[in-house]
Amino acid sequence: MIEFIQQTVTGLMTGSLYALVAAGIVLVYKSTHVVSLAHGQLVAFGALFFWLFLSGFGLPFWVGLIPAFILTALLGLAIERVALRPLIGQPLLAAFLMTFAIFIALEGVFVLYLKGETRTLPHFLPGGNLALSGLSIPINQLIGFCVALLLFGLLSLIFKYTKLGLGMRATAEDHRLAQSTGIVVKNIFSYIWILSGIVAAIAGIATANVMDIYYMLPYIGINGLIVAICGGLDSLAGALVVGLLLGVVENVGAAYLDPLVGGGIKDVAGYAVLLLVLLIRPYGLFGLVKIERI
Amino acid sequence: MRPCGVFDKSYALDMAIIRTWQHWAILLSALLTLYLFPLFGSYYLVSFINLLSISIIVVLGLQIVSGFCGQISFGQAAFMAVGAYTSSILTIRYGVPFWVALPLSGIMAGAVGIIGGAPSLRIKGMYLAMATIAIHFVVIWLILHMQITGSFKGLYPMPPSICGFEFDTDERMFYIIVTVMIIMTYGARNLMRSKVGRAFVAIRDNDLAGEVMGVNLYYYKLLAFFISCFYAGVAGSLWAHLITVVNTEQFTLLHALEYVGMLIIGGMGSVPGVFFGVLFIRILNELVMFASPALAKAVPWLGSSPAASLGLIAFGLAMAVFLVFEPRGLAHRWEIFKSSYRLYPFAH
């Protein structure tokens, strides 16, 4: 039993990272209806920028955060301005394919910069394990978990109570209607990409705090995409719930099924869950069901 | 646009793909050059054309499911893997001759493709694209975790042979691969002129409206996936017996993305577009291969072997540029070129 709880708790920690990555994708989808495959790269670059300022320039932790946030936000803004804005008015699939072109191009830059090495963030947070009646929880993962919860709370507050959040929600509802009520939709798009860049940087730093920065890091974006789609692309709460759930499923599944099938459940659990969810509820567990008319 | 002075005197002539004697001359001389190519072409070029032809078969399949039927699929690399593994297992473990294993691997990949295409009955667009990415990973995972596929070590199929004649060099495989490629191209071109092709286009343009008009969505969507995966499976089989080493490293998600990129650059919904797209990306890759050592020498920061990452950057940028400036692909440019030289010196 203690083994099961341990696996569940570890799964929750991993899942909070997935939820963090998914949060950025949900943000972008909520207001622009573009599903960003490139988000994984934003996450990876956020971690890389942070590493650069911490290890490369030797900045202290709190000071290093700010330029990392700014650079990642700028990268997000650049993607929106250069690549996605010319596609306004084209079918949404073109925008999706564009984000995947950006993913590949940035993947090239990322691999080129790393040159096959791995980068480890210096320990800027207290490490060690928290022992709790037989459970052992690594502190750095626990911090990531708390950051995820805090961030989700903050984002839902922004969406609920600020004027910007109201504008974003209005834009999500109907671009043309929002424009006609005086909301500058283009600005909202820019803000949302900046916000999503910052969220990506947070996700990247939290991820890199747990594992190394290496060539597979951008592919956490695909896990984030799975979580975002399973949760329903326009639901922040769905991203959090499904993210945590996916982490638990992966971990518990790996612990109990791996000996039966010879390992590797972790690599495939997310995709199996995605296929199941898409077959049962195509618009995600918490998503808005769209009705199609001719 | 019809050239001036070309009239159709019979229904058969109206339906013909190749309608003038100039067309026949160009086609026959092109085929003759292609088949005589290994006699005078260098080894490098021959193996390059082999690679091109295999990619063309895969992307033709993708064109059928994505370009014609409108179901974006990122799973093509996995279906190619199914074909490659099926062919290898059949020839190595069961002693089936290559000539039987080739169509069988296509059918096997098609069967897997029907299972993989099942989500398309309920979802479409970006959701389906994600589902096919998931299918890619599930298929690769299954291949890695089955006994019969040799797991991580992979398989080592033999080159095909007929009556003691071994197709063991690239020049000899060239004839098989190019012949299959031509047959498959002809098949794809003609498929579009049939009832099935029209049903696919109806589904692409508006699947609900298509269903109202009496197109059986379930049947035709799954058929599109079957045909597409059949192409991928045949290409996989050819690949396996050309390279004679099969492992999952050859069929990654990046390969699948590359095929989609070729389709976009070539142009969705056009058979010649497949040729342009594949040629464009492969030549781009070769250019990067040639340029990167010099570039690495000029800019030491890039490291010793920047070819792979520079290739990714070039590919991603090319795709982005095409999506913005030429979303209908090179095939559209080719159509404009054709009508302008036919009408020369008039503008319209």
Side-chain angles (χ1 to χ4, degrees):
Chain A
M1 193 59 203
I2 195 80
E3 161 78 6
F4 179 74
I5 296 174
Q6 172 72 53
Q7 292 296 344
T8 310
V9 170
T10 319
L12 283 178
M13 305 291 157
T14 325
S16 66
L17 296 180
Y18 294 161
L20 267 178
V21 178
I25 297 171
V26 169
L27 277 181
V28 169
Y29 183 83
K30 253 175 111 73
S31 51
T32 65
H33 278 252
V34 172
V35 182
S36 172
L37 202 61
H39 196 74
Q41 294 294 345
L42 280 182
V43 171
F45 273 88
L48 194 63
F49 289 142
F50 187 59
W51 176 87
L52 203 66
F53 287 110
L54 231 61
S55 285
F57 299 139
L59 293 180
F61 162 56
W62 290 108
V63 186
L65 273 181
I66 296 161
F69 283 174
I70 292 175
L71 279 180
T72 320
L74 281 181
L75 188 63
L77 190 63
I79 292 175
E80 197 271 331
R81 275 289 159 83
V82 177
L84 291 175
R85 189 160 287 183
L87 290 184
I88 289 180
Q90 299 245 22
L92 279 170
L93 206 58
F96 175 66
L97 293 172
M98 174 58 101
T99 61
F100 125 65
I102 296 164
F103 177 88
I104 293 176
L106 287 180
E107 168 85 8
V109 178
F110 191 70
V111 173
L112 191 63
Y113 184 78
L114 284 181
K115 297 189 190 74
E117 297 162 17
T118 57
R119 307 279 158 90
T120 314
L121 281 183
H123 290 291
F124 58 93
L125 293 172
N129 281 322
L130 194 71
L132 201 89
S133 63
L135 294 178
S136 114
I137 305 166
I139 302 250
N140 54 359
Q141 293 190 8
L142 192 64
I143 291 173
F145 183 68
C146 295
V147 166
L149 290 187
L150 266 179
L151 192 79
F152 269 92
L154 199 66
L155 284 176
S156 49
L157 284 184
I158 288 178
F159 266 98
K160 210 159 194 178
Y161 292 113
T162 65
K163 201 170 174 193
L164 180 65
L166 197 65
M168 287 170 182
R169 269 157 57 200
T171 313
E173 201 64 43
D174 188 331
H175 292 182
R176 222 184 278 171
L177 206 60
Q179 185 93 33
S180 68
T181 56
I183 296 164
V184 187
V185 171
K186 278 183 180 174
N187 286 355
I188 295 281
F189 281 12
S190 304
Y191 297 146
I192 208 82
W193 274 93
I194 290 174
L195 191 62
S196 132
I198 293 173
V199 172
I202 294 173
I205 293 165
T207 312
N209 192 25
V210 178
M211 60 187 201
D212 290 330
I213 302 173
Y214 68 121
Y215 74 102
M216 280 302 278
L217 187 57
Y219 286 92
I220 199 174
I222 293 183
N223 288 43
L225 212 51
I226 291 173
V227 168
I229 289 177
C230 288
L233 274 165
D234 39 18
S235 160
L236 268 177
L240 182 61
V241 172
V242 175
L244 295 178
L245 216 62
L246 181 64
V248 172
V249 167
E250 272 190 0
N251 251 296
V252 174
Y256 291 96
L257 291 179
D258 263 0
L260 299 180
V261 296
I265 283 287
K266 232 176 203 163
D267 305 328
V268 84
Y271 303 108
V273 168
L274 175 70
L275 281 178
L276 267 182
V277 169
L278 281 178
L279 281 177
I280 297 163
R281 277 186 66 97
Y283 290 104
L285 297 177
F286 296 85
L288 220 59
V289 178
K290 290 194 192 71
I291 298 164
E292 205 174 338
R293 295 190 178 87
I294 300 178
Chain B
M1 182 65 67
R2 201 69 65 75
C4 184
V6 175
F7 305 106
D8 294 326
K9 297 198 182 90
S10 66
Y11 185 68
L13 198 60
D14 189 39
M15 291 305 291
I17 296 179
I18 302 159
R19 45 178 71 251
T20 62
W21 67 267
Q22 288 97 335
H23 276 163
W24 277 110
I26 293 171
L27 181 75
L28 288 180
S29 53
L31 283 183
L32 199 66
T33 321
L34 192 61
Y35 274 105
L36 292 180
F37 190 75
L39 299 182
F40 57 86
S42 69
Y43 175 78
Y44 166 76
L45 277 177
V46 168
S47 49
F48 184 64
I49 292 183
N50 279 342
L51 184 65
L52 273 183
S53 306
I54 290 176
S55 302
I56 284 171
I57 298 173
V58 180
V59 181
L60 272 176
L62 194 61
Q63 182 75 277
I64 288 168
V65 78
S66 297
F68 295 149
C69 198
Q71 318 290 313
I72 293 289
S73 167
F74 285 113
Q76 204 70 350
F79 298 127
M80 195 177 162
V82 172
Y85 272 95
T86 310
S87 184
S88 312
I89 290 167
L90 284 178
T91 49
I92 295 173
R93 307 208 179 203
Y94 300 104
V96 178
F98 166 77
W99 313 102
V100 183
L102 181 72
L104 279 183
S105 55
I107 289 169
M108 181 69 186
V112 176
I114 285 184
I115 302 169
S120 73
L121 303 179
R122 295 207 61 185
I123 53 180
K124 53 188 175 187
M126 186 280 313
Y127 289 94
L128 183 63
M130 272 311 291
T132 53
I133 289 181
I135 288 160
H136 169 92
F137 282 104
V138 171
V139 166
I140 296 296
W141 184 83
L142 281 177
I143 287 175
L144 279 180
H145 285 84
M146 282 195 297
Q147 283 294 317
I148 199 165
T149 54
S151 189
F152 291 91
K153 290 195 296 287
L155 292 171
Y156 299 90
M158 296 299 289
S161 64
I162 186 163
C163 307
F165 182 78
E166 295 264 337
F167 289 88
D168 51 358
T169 62
D170 275 24
E171 280 91 351
R172 290 177 179 176
M173 273 306 276
F174 178 92
Y175 289 100
I176 300 178
I177 293 174
V178 165
T179 309
V180 173
M181 186 267 283
I182 289 169
I183 294 170
M184 299 293 248
T185 310
Y186 184 72
R189 184 78 182 78
N190 263 340
L191 181 76
M192 284 325 294
R193 292 143 46 87
S194 67
K195 175 188 167 191
V196 176
R198 285 192 297 276
F200 286 171
V201 173
I203 292 173
R204 174 187 70 188
D205 289 346
N206 189 330
D207 56 348
L208 284 179
E211 191 167 29
V212 171
M213 290 195 309
V215 174
N216 186 345
L217 278 195
Y218 290 0
Y219 175 72
Y220 282 108
K221 275 184 179 174
L222 290 186
L223 184 65
F225 267 96
F226 177 81
I227 297 174
S228 145
C229 298
F230 182 84
Y231 273 69
V234 168
S237 168
L238 290 174
W239 168 266
H241 292 276
L242 173 71
I243 306 290
T244 63
V245 182
V246 181
N247 55 49
T248 49
E249 291 291 305
Q250 300 160 348
F251 311 103
T252 64
L253 184 64
L254 270 177
H255 289 97
L257 297 184
E258 200 176 38
Y259 294 134
V260 177
M262 288 171 180
L263 191 63
I264 287 165
I265 286 172
M268 288 257 192
S270 140
V271 171
V274 172
F275 285 73
F276 294 129
V278 171
L279 207 61
F280 185 92
I281 293 296
R282 290 284 176 236
I283 289 178
L284 190 71
N285 274 345
E286 294 299 310
L287 284 182
V288 170
M289 284 289 215
F290 278 121
S292 66
L295 212 61
K297 210 172 268 176
V299 189
W301 180 83
L302 291 177
S304 53
S305 56
S309 34
L310 286 181
L312 285 180
I313 297 174
F315 171 59
L317 288 184
M319 226 184 106
V321 166
F322 266 89
L323 277 170
V324 172
F325 295 109
E326 191 79 274
R328 292 161 80 181
L330 286 169
H332 179 56
R333 216 21 71 184
W334 170 242
E335 289 299 325
I336 292 174
F337 168 72
K338 265 201 312 196
S339 56
S340 71
Y341 89 72
R342 280 175 184 167
L343 292 170
Y344 186 81
F346 304 108
H348 298 291

